Amino acid sequence: MAHGLTPRGYRPRVVDAEMEDSLAASPAVLVEGPRACGKTWTGKRFARSEALLDATASSLLASNLDPAALLEGPVPRLLDEWQLAPEIWNPMRRACDERGSAGQFILTGSANPPDDITRHSGAGRMLRVRMRPMSLFESGLSDASISLAGLFAPGPCSVPDRGLSLNDVMEAVCRGGWPRLLNADLRTALRATRGYLDEISRTDIARVDGVARNPIGVRKLLSSLGRNTTTEASFATLAKDTADEQGAIERRTVSSYVAALERLFVVEDLRAWKPHTTSRAQLRSAPKRHFVDPSLAVAAVESNLESVMQNRKYAGLLFESLVVRDLRVYGQTNNLDLSHYRDSDGLEVDVIIKHPDGRWIAAEVKLGSEKGIEEGIRSLHRLRTKIDPDRSGTPSRLVIITASGYGFEHPDGVSIIPITSLGP
């Protein structure tokens, strides 16, 4: 359902199918996600007219004087960065009721506005679609020859080695899935992503809810989140990690900053899975810390590809974050839920992928060494023995996701799948 506003060079997104379905089912669709992830271009692809509320002072002035005037135009009408003109919410809601038809408005926003702006419910009038930076499939590094949804069905997974190296994949980690940076040289991309975090620290985090925050403190927290990416670091741990000669950020302040970063869609933690088990081990409930894109972690610690490649442990954490990003993109279109597992026996499994009907897949993420794969296989089999099959079911598949190489069925009954062959 592409229209005349589709930007030249638009790359299809996994979320496009969800957008089409949502516009057919609801008067308005709110597209949410971090700044620069491609929301506006996706909105344009489905829109017949637009009001770019962050582009011109006249649009903002019009929204203050007569917000309803911005709603006039061929539909679907794109209201880009609507939270900059929050007065438009109620007229939009009324227009949805009066027109009584699906596909009237597309709203995009890179921040969740304060609750009082949307206090009049959008229920029955609006569906929300979450966007994230581009997956490897969307950016062209994965051929999607293996479907994530298809992994719930029996059958072997076998794909050839596509010839991509670990360096290629880690470059994608450092570059990130930002559409405007896909063709930039890596040095430029790294500089742009650092600037992205600086802008969040100085401006965006205060704009999200009108609360003034110390930009230096925010930047220190972002650095700590970068060092602790893909770990279960608590607020107290993050607070302690920000300590320098000027002191540490208080735990309560860390909690407030993280909440604001979540509203900006900059961080997106992975919650803990709570299945029924046959073990006496206690399940851990702490979430894993993730940026919405692994490039933000690289930028937060002011690193680069060479430094990442020299630190195998940190490279592994960043790669896990990339895999979680891609699984979220692929899983959303299939209503799959993601979590992680950890218990008091020290057993950790990186990702649990749960189907709406209760079936589940357990996945370990490994860069690809033989030793790492063997460790992952042992963890997956330990998990299988701990889950109560009568109450939580048995896994549809055990998977190890690697950076590159062949996809094959391991003799121990585990599917080895390179992320460069995975898709929705």
Side-chain angles (χ1 to χ4, degrees), residues 20-296:
E20 191 161 353
D21 290 346
S22 297
L23 284 167
S26 175
V29 175
L30 174 56
V31 187
E32 299 177 311
R35 185 158 53 89
C37 74
K39 300 182 303 299
T40 300
W41 274 35
T42 293
K44 284 175 176 283
R45 183 178 188 274
F46 292 92
R48 294 185 183 274
S49 66
E50 62 184 9
L52 306 181
L53 301 180
D54 66 340
T56 63
S58 59
S59 290
L60 289 173
L61 181 61
S63 70
N64 289 329
L65 296 177
D66 183 14
L70 289 174
L71 304 178
E72 297 303 319
V75 299
R77 182 161 175 80
L78 172 63
L79 307 174
D80 189 47
E81 296 294 354
W82 77 272
Q83 79 278 359
L84 298 179
E87 297 86 353
I88 206 168
W89 177 268
N90 286 333
M92 182 277 302
R93 180 179 58 85
R94 287 192 293 270
C96 288
D97 292 342
E98 292 167 0
R99 298 178 186 183
S101 299
Q104 297 298 304
F105 302 108
I106 300 169
L107 294 82
T108 69
S110 52
N112 266 328
D115 293 337
D116 60 349
I117 293 176
T118 56
R119 63 185 178 274
H120 296 296
S121 172
R125 309 175 182 94
M126 176 173 294
L127 292 176
R128 293 174 184 255
V129 173
R130 181 69 178 269
M131 281 193 71
R132 298 174 177 85
M134 289 177 130
S135 64
L136 295 188
F137 169 57
E138 292 167 310
S139 63
L141 203 62
S142 169
D143 65 4
S145 54
I146 296 176
S147 162
L148 177 62
L151 292 177
F152 283 92
C157 293
S158 177
V159 292
D161 186 343
R162 300 186 57 226
L164 295 166
S165 67
L166 176 59
N167 194 85
D168 294 328
V169 174
M170 296 313 298
E171 179 175 336
V173 165
C174 294
R175 181 186 304 279
W178 312 103
R180 294 185 182 276
L181 299 179
L182 292 183
N183 297 319
D185 66 80
L186 185 56
R187 184 176 179 182
T188 299
L190 288 166
R191 185 183 302 115
T193 312
R194 290 172 189 166
Y196 185 103
L197 291 183
D198 289 340
E199 192 64 23
I200 286 168
S201 302
R202 287 196 301 266
T203 306
D204 291 3
I205 201 166
R207 186 182 294 168
V208 69
D209 55 10
V211 176
R213 296 180 173 89
N214 181 353
I216 296 175
V218 175
R219 194 63 180 81
K220 285 169 64 175
L221 174 61
L222 288 168
S223 297
S224 179
L225 288 168
R227 288 188 292 272
N228 288 281
T229 190
T230 326
T231 74
E232 298 166 58
S234 65
F235 290 145
T237 297
L238 293 172
K240 185 177 180 181
D241 188 54
T242 63
D244 58 17
E245 62 275 5
Q246 296 175 332
I249 303 175
E250 292 184 1
R251 180 195 176 283
R252 184 172 56 182
T253 302
V254 167
S255 175
S256 170
Y257 286 1
V258 169
L261 292 170
E262 288 174 342
R263 295 180 74 165
L264 288 168
F265 308 106
V266 172
V267 298
E268 187 177 9
D269 292 343
L270 185 66
R271 67 176 183 83
W273 188 39
K274 292 295 188 68
H276 296 285
T277 69
T278 59
S279 169
R280 293 185 178 180
Q282 293 184 336
L283 298 179
R284 302 306 191 193
S285 60
K288 276 193 175 184
R289 305 292 177 189
H290 284 273
F291 282 101
V292 73
D293 189 276
S295 65
L296 296 179

Side-chain angles (χ1 to χ4, degrees), residues 313-332:
K313 181 178 179 181
Y314 191 57
L317 296 176
L318 292 171
F319 176 60
E320 182 180 336
S321 190
L322 173 119
V323 169
V324 168
R325 179 201 68 190
D326 283 12
L327 292 178
R328 279 174 162 151
V329 172
Y330 306 150
Q332 179 174 310

Side-chain angles (χ1 to χ4, degrees), residues 6-25:
T6 303
R8 177 179 294 181
Y10 180 80
R11 287 176 176 259
R13 305 296 294 268
V14 172
V15 80
D16 286 350
E18 187 178 353
M19 282 290 297
E20 191 161 353
D21 290 346
S22 297
L23 284 167

